[in-house]
Amino acid sequence: MKTLRMIGMALLAVLMCVNFNSCSNDENEILQQDEEIMVSLGLGGEISVSESPLSRAEAEVKPDLYGIQIYSLPNSSESSTTEYTPYAYGLFDDISNIKISLNKGYKYKVAVLLIKDGKNKVHFKDPEYDTPFDIALENKFILNTTEKIHFDAGISVSGSTINSSQQFFYAEAEKYYGETTDFIPSEENNNIDIYMKKMFFGGKFVAENLTEGTLTIKFDNIVAPQINIVPSQKTATRIFSIRNCTTIYYKDDSSAICTLSVQIIWTKADGAEIPLGTHSIKFKRNKMHTITIKIADITSSPGLDLELEDTEMSEEGSTTIENGEIVDTNIGTEGE
């Protein structure tokens, strides 16, 4: 009897050793699958970087906002998952030394949205910055499976009253967007480079023969802020951000076009409003468009000539709109 008890205890000890080794092997496999690589993030492309030294006061002021969303996908042919899912997000005002740990065995997509002077452009609702971010500025990544950054949204700007806001599809702001896909982290591949593109265009509105009252440039209600020109000004220049970044990013320069409906109204000094037509105008990414509004016979029944110049910030081209009829020579024909 004693001998049988000893044999049973020996068998139990052997089984415990086998189970312990099995568990240890499983844990090692999990650790190997979840091994992490620390990677850094760098931005390039059309983004401008000043190399001149900053004063201490300038260095402390960081008005730009960077919204970053990271997605992951198992890097295995055996995985049933075929689409990227959210992995982490963060809002930053300094990316000089930004890093994140990524798991081996996965590939990643990284998307970045930069709004220049974002702290002053985007409405702040404590503790978050409003659309397109809707998250707090923490200068760190939050691991989360929810997509937080709204890359194709407009921008919510502060309204006319305290704590109010208004969202514009084409807000007056300089916006940049960039992304990279299928990044596989390793000891040798530990830096993610993002090519950033300008997601904005310019509009220069010139009023000729305006001697009294106000010339008003109106867009659809949520599209862009209204512009007013008075005789002492003659000209109004604006930068408009582009809403659908993820689509425009992959278009070539000839087809990266946004079509806006522009309504022009002349309000005379006595308050009488004279509509000068509604025009569908095509704006190209990263180009300044000069719209010259020529008001003929302003003292009686006004006529209207519009002249458009499509310029790449310095090189001029031209398109003319005469008597409300568009003659398009330089601006493409595709709209968004």
Side-chain angles (χ1 to χ4, degrees), residues 254 257 282 284 310 328 330-335:
S254 64
I257 295 171
K282 295 179 173 64
K284 283 186 178 180
D310 179 22
D328 195 356
N330 266 3
I331 301 178
T333 57
E334 294 184 37

Side-chain angles (χ1 to χ4, degrees), residues 239-258:
I239 294 294
F240 299 99
S241 61
I242 295 174
R243 174 173 60 106
N244 54 334
C245 296
T246 59
T247 301
I248 294 293
Y249 184 76
Y250 285 101
K251 289 191 175 184
D252 58 35
D253 290 341
S254 64
S255 60
I257 295 171
C258 303

Side-chain angles (χ1 to χ4, degrees), residues 28-259:
N28 288 334
E29 288 176 5
I30 293 171
L31 289 173
Q32 186 175 4
Q33 290 173 358
D34 291 343
E35 185 179 349
E36 295 182 336
I37 299 294
M38 183 68 70
V39 300
S40 58
L41 181 69
L43 304 184
E46 297 175 1
I47 190 171
S48 59
V49 180
S50 174
E51 295 183 354
S52 58
L54 299 175
S55 66
R56 184 172 181 178
E58 289 174 324
E60 291 175 354
V61 176
K62 299 173 182 176
D64 301 340
L65 291 176
Y66 302 80
I68 304 174
Q69 184 85 49
I70 300 178
Y71 309 82
S72 66
L73 176 66
N75 187 26
S76 171
S77 59
E78 298 178 359
S79 173
S80 59
T81 304
T82 58
E83 295 184 358
Y84 279 99
T85 57
Y87 172 76
Y89 68 86
L91 184 61
F92 303 79
D93 63 3
D94 181 9
I95 60 165
S96 59
N97 190 33
I98 187 170
K99 293 184 178 182
I100 185 172
S101 294
L102 300 180
N103 294 324
K104 277 187 172 182
Y106 287 80
K107 52 186 176 181
Y108 293 87
K109 172 184 175 181
V110 182
V112 181
L113 180 65
L114 159 62
I115 298 181
K116 286 283 190 179
D117 197 27
K119 290 181 180 178
N120 298 312
K121 297 290 185 181
V122 182
H123 178 245
F124 180 69
K125 50 178 185 180
D126 194 16
E128 299 178 348
Y129 280 92
D130 215 327
T131 309
F133 303 119
D134 292 318
I135 53 177
L137 173 63
E138 299 186 63
N139 278 307
K140 67 178 182 179
F141 282 110
I142 309 297
L143 298 181
N144 194 290
T145 57
T146 303
E147 189 171 32
K148 290 289 187 176
I149 314 298
H150 310 295
F151 296 107
D152 290 327
I155 296 177
S156 290
V157 301
S158 295
S160 56
T161 59
I162 296 176
N163 295 328
S164 69
S165 64
Q166 183 174 3
Q167 184 177 151
F168 292 109
F169 288 160
Y170 301 92
E172 295 179 10
E174 292 185 24
K175 181 191 290 187
Y176 293 77
Y177 175 78
E179 66 177 52
T180 189
T181 58
D182 297 342
F183 175 83
I184 301 175
S186 67
E187 285 79 2
E188 298 77 21
N189 189 30
N190 55 13
N191 187 67
I192 305 174
D193 294 316
I194 309 291
Y195 189 94
M196 304 291 291
K197 284 187 176 182
K198 294 176 181 178
M199 289 294 147
F200 57 87
F201 56 83
K204 181 179 180 182
F205 299 86
V206 181
E208 289 191 2
N209 304 325
L210 180 64
T211 58
E212 65 163 294
T214 303
L215 193 69
T216 301
I217 314 296
K218 285 187 174 182
F219 305 89
D220 290 342
N221 185 39
I222 198 173
V223 171
Q226 177 177 300
I227 299 171
N228 296 316
I229 304 176
V230 295
S232 59
Q233 271 183 312
K234 300 291 187 184
T235 301
T237 302
R238 299 288 189 272
I239 294 294
F240 299 99
S241 61
I242 295 174
R243 174 173 60 106
N244 54 334
C245 296
T246 59
T247 301
I248 294 293
Y249 184 76
Y250 285 101
K251 289 191 175 184
D252 58 35
D253 290 341
S254 64
S255 60
I257 295 171
C258 303
T259 304

